[in-house]
Amino acid sequence: MGHPQLDNLVRIGQLHTEPAVPGELRGLLRSGIRRLDDAGHETLSLEGRFDLAYNAAHALALAALRHQGYRSQSRYLVFQCLQHTINLPQEQWRVLDQAHRRRNLAEHEGEVDVDEQLVAALLRVAREVASRVEKMMAT
């Protein structure tokens, strides 16, 4: 472990410690990269691209958290932890926060409110997360 902020989340029950499993990490990375690649296909609907990019970002963020030996049941918290797991800048994390809120509206209320600008920003951030996670897992 060795991440004071993440260890604090363990103490209050928001995260759990759990040793990383190499097969799980490879699977999350592979899933994230494939979804990210698919999300880049402009022939797909905007909503489909958003869904793929969002789920790619989540799989990659979860891989980063699991690599550090933590687990969370909260999608939102998995994104929040990126500042500690891969040192993701706050302005990039805000894009994931916005995407998460839009995803929740779509999932829970049927209100799909995405545009090209959000999808493009989400793709940029997800690609950055992928790059950082790949580097982290290579060491």
Side-chain angles (χ1 to χ4, degrees):
M1 282 18 93
H3 293 278
Q5 297 87 350
L6 299 179
D7 290 337
N8 284 338
L9 291 171
V10 170
R11 277 192 282 286
I12 63 171
Q14 296 295 308
L15 289 180
H16 305 283
T17 57
E18 184 178 316
V21 177
E24 177 189 14
L25 296 177
R26 285 190 303 273
L28 288 167
L29 181 61
R30 183 176 52 252
S31 173
I33 297 295
R34 284 184 182 160
R35 289 176 181 187
L36 189 53
D37 288 345
D38 289 346
H41 292 284
E42 293 185 7
T43 56
L44 298 176
S45 70
L46 191 59
E47 292 83 1
R49 294 175 62 220
F50 172 81
D51 187 60
L52 286 164
Y54 174 85
N55 284 302
H58 181 262
L60 295 163
L62 183 56
L65 189 63
R66 294 292 299 120
H67 186 268
Q68 299 299 320
Y70 299 92
R71 181 178 293 282
S72 174
Q73 298 303 315
S74 166
R75 285 180 164 264
Y76 189 71
L77 191 58
V78 169
F79 287 139
Q80 281 184 312
C81 290
L82 286 170
Q83 65 182 337
H84 306 298
T85 57
I86 60 170
N87 199 31
L88 191 72
Q90 188 172 1
E91 62 272 7
Q92 291 181 328
W93 183 85
R94 284 187 189 130
V95 171
L96 297 174
D97 175 54
Q98 182 181 18
H100 180 76
R101 285 186 276 118
R102 301 277 178 96
R103 176 248 180 211
N104 279 353
L105 280 173
E107 290 285 318
H108 303 293
E109 298 177 24
E111 183 180 326
V112 181
D113 181 22
V114 297
D115 56 32
E116 281 289 344
Q117 185 177 358
L118 176 60
V119 172
L122 181 56
L123 283 168
R124 279 192 305 275
V125 171
R127 287 180 181 125
E128 179 62 26
V129 171
S131 174
R132 290 175 185 231
V133 169
E134 286 177 314
K135 286 177 188 170
M136 178 179 67
M137 289 176 63
T139 58

